[in-house]
Amino acid sequence: LDAEGSEKSRQLVRERGSVAAGSRVLGISEVTMRARLNGRSSWVDAEFPKLARHLGVSESELRGE
């Protein structure tokens, strides 16, 4: 994700869930989840549908498109 997409993802996770819950849904550690949300680690395409469903948003909204 670009910087704008990362910011949108962070915002959605803060508003609709938590880093801990999101990391459990994706089966990754909270450290890895935070790294992805902060743009320090790359997302895996398969993670977007899972996290979008968990947050109740579309994949494109989650990606900041």
Side-chain angles (χ1 to χ4, degrees), residues 1-2 4-6 8-9 12 59-65:
L1 292 176
D2 60 15
E4 184 178 326
S6 292
K8 182 62 175 177
S9 295
L12 286 168
E59 281 185 64
S60 60
E61 186 177 2
L62 181 60
R63 292 175 186 255
E65 300 174 340

Side-chain angles (χ1 to χ4, degrees), residues 3-60:
E4 184 178 326
S6 292
E7 177 55 35
K8 182 62 175 177
S9 295
R10 278 193 301 274
Q11 180 182 6
L12 286 168
V13 168
R14 275 188 252 129
E15 289 174 357
R16 296 176 175 256
S18 68
V19 171
S23 66
R24 283 192 301 273
V25 166
L26 297 178
I28 60 176
S29 71
E30 286 185 47
V31 171
T32 300
M33 180 71 169
R34 289 180 194 285
R36 283 184 170 79
L37 290 170
N38 290 319
R40 292 188 314 266
S41 177
S42 297
W43 289 91
V44 175
D45 283 334
E47 294 171 338
F48 287 103
K50 293 176 187 176
L51 188 56
R53 273 193 308 275
H54 170 71
L55 297 174
V57 299
S58 69
E59 281 185 64
S60 60

